[in-house]
Amino acid sequence: MKKKIISAILMSTVVLSAAAPLSGVYADTNSDIAKQDATISSAQSAKAQAQAQVDSLQSKVDSLQQKQASTKAQIAKIESEAKVLNAQIATLNESIAERTKTLEAQARSAQVNSSATNYMDAVVNSKSLTDVIQKVTAIATVSSANKQMLEQQEKEQKELSQKSETVKKNYNQFVSLSQSLDSQAQELTSQQAELKVATLNYQATIATAQDKKQSLLDEKAAAEKAAQEAAKKQATYEAQQKEAAKAQAASTAATTKAVEEATSTVSSSQASQSSSNSSTSSSNSTSSSNSTSSSSSSSNNDTTPTPTPTPTPTPGGGSSSSSGINSTPIGNPYAGGGCTDYVWQHFAAQGIYIRNIMPGNGGQWASNGPAQGVLHVVGAAPGVIASGFSTDFVGYAGSPYGHVAIVTAVNSDGTIDVVEGGSGFGWGHTRSHVSAAGVTFLMPN
């Protein structure tokens, strides 16, 4: 019954120890989720700013593209005007060339024929005044026409030269503007591409943070589920503990009553025996001393004393010798064929009785034994007790009970050889080269 109570207490401790870190897990997980939320918020804000800049740049790019289109249209118009002007210039050059040829021909004729004399001859040799007037008029008309021709030619050349300069100037301006717009467009396009890359990076950051957040939320949900299950187990163990306490109280009351009844019976028997002995002594008071001794001896040999019942041992019960080792036989509080039962019987065979440890599972001997004055810590050596929770020593991982064994040898590499009992090992099972890491070595007080 006591072992049930101890088991219930131990399992409650295990459940509590398993559930205790959950609050820390919640705190850490919530903190990590908050960090991911902050990362997502920051990245979304930066992404929005980058997108706003992209939109602004796109507006500028659209405006530049409109200006580029307008500039190219102006350039095309100027090129068309230039073609027309070049055609006019070509036609005028041909006309000027023809006029120049005519004037040059007239000039050569005047030089060859001595035009001044010819003009006088034409007047002198005229047949009449009318003929003179006609000839002079004709000569004047030709001279005036030549003069007008030269003036018109100079005017047209000047106009065409001005048009040509204007076209060249406009063309150069629009070409320069087009080149500037192209440069600005390239720069804006480059900035736009960089911002798009930044936007994609922010989106990737958001996606990563959201994935991490979801993973943390899943971990939190799993931890909450584990906490609920642990709470259910804790409630079950608490109910078992209450039932065990009730049963223990009932058992203790029954045992106390039985002891009291046995003690009362023994006391009555001893009182009756004392009265009988007193009567016998009185009736034989006149006998000799030898006869009295013989009668007394005969009476002692014929009477069988009633044995005193041995009370059920209680945890920590039994008297101790001056050395501190309990040498008075007591009941085995570790019955059941477990590892603690094996170690207790090992020492009991030597006349050393280890008092009960509460709670006293194998791994708890290392801490509770010294704390309760039942054991004390020693160095590793053959014949001492080994206690611990380590996987190599226990034989499997995650044991809530731990293990105890008797050391048979200490090896040069620091490992130990042990002899042991208990579930999974068998009585008197031996192992060699067991890791001593996490193992405490003890001896009874």
Side-chain angles (χ1 to χ4, degrees):
M1 187 61 68
K2 295 174 185 175
K3 292 183 72 66
K4 290 182 180 179
I5 296 175
I6 293 170
S7 298
I9 294 172
L10 175 63
M11 292 307 294
S12 298
T13 304
V14 171
V15 172
L16 288 174
S17 63
L22 290 177
S23 60
V25 171
Y26 290 150
D28 293 341
T29 303
N30 289 334
S31 176
D32 291 339
I33 291 173
K35 289 179 182 178
Q36 298 307 320
D37 284 336
T39 300
I40 292 171
S41 177
S42 176
Q44 287 177 337
S45 176
K47 178 186 175 184
Q49 291 179 0
Q51 187 61 49
Q53 292 180 3
V54 169
D55 295 340
S56 176
L57 286 176
Q58 185 60 48
S59 176
K60 292 181 180 179
V61 169
D62 293 341
S63 177
L64 280 175
Q65 288 176 345
Q66 291 178 357
K67 289 182 180 179
Q68 283 179 315
S70 176
T71 302
K72 289 179 180 179
Q74 290 292 337
I75 291 173
K77 181 180 179 181
I78 292 172
E79 288 177 345
S80 177
E81 291 176 352
K83 287 180 181 180
V84 173
L85 185 59
N86 288 335
Q88 292 176 354
I89 291 173
T91 301
L92 182 59
N93 286 336
E94 290 177 358
S95 177
I96 290 173
E98 290 176 357
R99 291 172 185 170
T100 302
K101 187 184 294 183
T102 300
L103 292 174
E104 287 177 350
Q106 289 179 354
R108 284 195 297 272
S109 175
Q111 290 176 355
V112 171
N113 298 319
S114 300
S115 58
T117 302
N118 291 336
Y119 291 157
M120 290 301 297
D121 289 342
V123 172
V124 172
N125 294 326
S126 295
K127 295 177 179 181
S128 62
L129 181 60
T130 302
D131 187 24
V132 171
I133 292 171
Q134 289 177 345
K135 288 181 178 179
V136 170
T137 302
I139 292 170
T141 300
V142 170
S143 298
S144 176
N146 288 338
K147 182 179 178 182
Q148 289 178 356
M149 186 183 297
L150 290 173
E151 289 176 351
Q152 182 65 27
Q153 182 173 301
E154 289 177 356
K155 181 179 178 182
E156 289 177 353
Q157 284 180 329
K158 185 175 180 181
E159 289 177 353
L160 289 175
S161 177
Q162 290 177 347
K163 286 184 178 181
S164 179
E165 290 297 326
T166 300
V167 168
K168 288 180 181 179
K169 181 179 179 181
N170 291 338
Y171 182 81
N172 290 334
Q173 286 179 345
F174 280 104
V175 168
S176 176
L177 177 60
S178 178
Q179 291 175 347
S180 175
L181 292 174
D182 288 341
S183 176
Q184 293 179 33
Q186 289 178 357
E187 182 178 355
L188 290 175
T189 301
S190 176
Q191 292 179 9
Q192 193 177 37
E194 291 177 356
L195 286 170
K196 286 181 178 179
V197 170
T199 303
L200 292 174
N201 288 336
Y202 289 132
Q203 183 59 42
T205 300
I206 292 171
T208 300
Q210 288 174 338
D211 290 342
K212 289 183 178 179
K213 178 182 177 181
Q214 186 58 49
S215 176
L216 290 169
L217 289 173
D218 292 342
E219 290 179 6
K220 181 179 178 181
E224 289 174 346
K225 183 177 180 181
Q228 292 174 356
E229 292 177 354
K232 290 180 181 178
K233 290 182 179 180
Q234 177 65 18
T236 301
Y237 291 135
E238 288 178 354
Q240 291 176 350
Q241 186 176 357
K242 289 180 180 179
E243 291 298 326
K246 290 179 180 178
Q248 176 64 18
S251 177
T252 300
T255 301
T256 302
K257 183 178 180 181
V259 170
E260 288 176 352
E261 289 176 352
T263 302
S264 176
T265 301
V266 170
S267 296
S268 298
S269 176
Q270 288 176 347
S272 177
Q273 182 67 31
S274 177
S275 176
S276 176
N277 290 338
S278 176
S279 175
T280 302
S281 177
S282 175
S283 64
N284 294 322
S285 59
T286 59
S287 303
S288 61
S289 59
N290 290 335
S291 179
T292 302
S293 297
S294 176
S295 176
S296 176
S297 175
S298 176
S299 175
N300 287 336
N301 289 333
D302 293 340
T303 304
T304 302
T306 304
T308 303
T310 303
T312 302
T314 57
S319 59
S320 299
S321 65
S322 59
S323 64
I325 297 176
N326 184 17
S327 58
T328 302
I330 62 172
N332 182 0
Y334 303 103
C339 58
T340 52
D341 180 21
Y342 181 84
V343 173
W344 188 91
Q345 293 196 36
H346 173 84
F347 280 95
Q350 305 173 41
I352 301 172
Y353 302 94
I354 301 174
R355 289 178 289 127
N356 196 14
I357 299 170
M358 294 277 294
N361 289 298
Q364 294 172 318
W365 281 30
S367 58
N368 294 345
Q372 296 173 20
V374 179
L375 305 173
H376 62 276
V377 179
V378 296
V384 304
I385 302 169
S387 170
F389 287 91
S390 66
T391 299
D392 190 55
F393 179 63
V394 174
Y396 61 94
S399 170
Y401 307 109
H403 186 51
V404 286
I406 302 299
V407 178
T408 58
V410 179
N411 303 307
S412 59
D413 60 358
T415 60
I416 56 175
D417 297 347
V418 297
V419 60
E420 58 202 346
S423 176
F425 291 122
W427 206 255
H429 178 265
T430 60
R431 284 190 293 161
S432 60
H433 294 284
V434 178
S435 174
V439 177
T440 302
F441 302 99
L442 308 154
M443 282 296 286
N445 284 337

